[in-house]
């Protein structure tokens, strides 16, 4: 019968030097792989930075072009330029603020308010945008909201005399006029309501004056009734006028031809 011996594992025949060499080569390959990954990430990041720089540069060029057009009162063209710039830099609050100013010049108050609101949303510390928002709100008649916007602008930049002396002062004056007008309107409506609710005067139909007037009218009607006359035209052509009494009316003779009153 054949006998079987225990076999050594193949790995036990690998020398220590060979194992170390393999590990060193694997480490080199790993370093190279990590270097490639780092290079790829760096290149991608750099590419994004370059693209962002290009967008910012192009946006600035469009912003300047739009400002030049706005100074020459070519407002529609300026808005078009700024819209293109916003496609590149949508977080630029100054673009929205300038757009709001131009829209107010075109008397488009609703879009002007919207553009100014976008500006303050992107940069709540932008005091120019708050001032522009207040002016646009005044254009819509929102005086209380405009006063608040001017106050925020002053809170951010208290040394701005334009907002303090012109915008805020004018808005408060308009608010006082609005309150006065509202008060006058309410008073006028209340007066009209009081006049409408006044009752009809209660006349005394049994007073001496009313009785006397009624008696006089009755006497006049009686006299007119007693003075009734009858015109009789005979066959011979004779016209005769007779007084007619209710109790005993006049009876014409047989020669009556026509009877008329």
């Amino acid at each position: 019968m054949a006998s079987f011996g225990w076999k050594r594992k193949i790995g036990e025949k690998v020398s220590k030097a060979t194992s170390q060499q393999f590990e060193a080569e694997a480490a080199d390959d790993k370093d190279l792989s990590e270097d490639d990954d780092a290079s790829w990430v760096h290149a991608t990041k750099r590419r994004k930075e370059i693209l962002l720089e290009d967008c910012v540069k192009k946006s600035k060029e469009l912003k300047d072009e739009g400002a030049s057009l706005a100074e020459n009162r070519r407002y529609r063209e300026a808005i078009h330029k700024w819209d293109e710039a916003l496609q590149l830099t949508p977080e630029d609050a100054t673009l929205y603020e300038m757009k709001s100013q131009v829209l107010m010049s075109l008397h488009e108050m609703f879009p002007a308010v919207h553009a100014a609101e976008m500006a303050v949303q992107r940069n709540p510390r932008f005091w120019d945008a708050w001032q522009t928002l207040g002016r646009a709100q005044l254009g819509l008649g929102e005086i209380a909201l405009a006063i608040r916007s001017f106050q925020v602008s002053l809170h951010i930049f208290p040394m701005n005399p334009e907002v303090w002396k012109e915008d805020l002062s004018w808005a408060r004056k308009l608010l006082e006029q609005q309150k006065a007008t509202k008060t006058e309107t309410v008073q006028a409506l209340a007066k009209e309501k009081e006049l409408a609710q006044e009752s009809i005067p209660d006349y005394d139909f049994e007073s001496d004056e009313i009785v006397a007037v009624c008696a006089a009218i009755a006497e006049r009607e009686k006299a007119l009734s007693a003075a009734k006359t009858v015109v009789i035209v005979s066959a011979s052509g004779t016209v005769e006028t007779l007084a007619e009494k209710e109790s005993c009316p006049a009876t014409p003779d047989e020669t009556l031809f026509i009877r008329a009153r």
Side-chain angles (χ1 to χ4, degrees), residues 11 40 130 244:
W40 181 83
W130 284 105
E244 182 182 9

Side-chain angles (χ1 to χ4, degrees), residues 194-240:
E194 291 177 359
L195 293 174
Q197 290 178 350
E198 288 184 357
S199 60
I200 300 175
D202 186 12
Y203 294 105
D204 185 5
F205 292 99
E206 296 181 358
S207 63
D208 295 338
E209 292 81 0
I210 298 297
V211 172
V213 171
C214 291
I217 294 174
E219 289 295 330
R220 184 178 179 184
E221 290 293 331
K222 184 177 180 181
L224 293 175
S225 177
K228 288 182 179 180
T229 58
V230 177
V231 178
I232 299 174
V233 181
S234 63
S236 60
T238 303
V239 179
E240 186 179 0

Side-chain angles (χ1 to χ4, degrees), residues 109-155:
M109 295 304 172
F110 280 105
V113 170
H114 177 70
E117 288 176 344
M118 296 291 287
V120 298
Q121 287 176 7
R122 277 147 179 76
N123 186 3
R125 303 290 300 174
F126 189 13
W127 65 267
D128 278 330
W130 284 105
Q131 181 185 17
T132 302
L133 176 59
R135 291 177 175 179
Q137 289 168 337
L138 274 183
L140 285 180
E142 298 291 345
I143 302 175
L145 293 177
I147 290 175
R148 179 186 177 277
S149 297
F150 293 142
Q151 290 174 341
V152 174
S153 179
L154 278 175
H155 179 75

Side-chain angles (χ1 to χ4, degrees), residues 22 43-44 54 64 129-130 134 161 184 193 195 199 206 218 220 246:
F22 175 77
T44 303
D54 292 340
D64 294 339
W130 284 105
E184 293 176 358
K193 187 176 181 180
L195 293 174
S199 60
E206 296 181 358
R220 184 178 179 184
E246 295 180 359

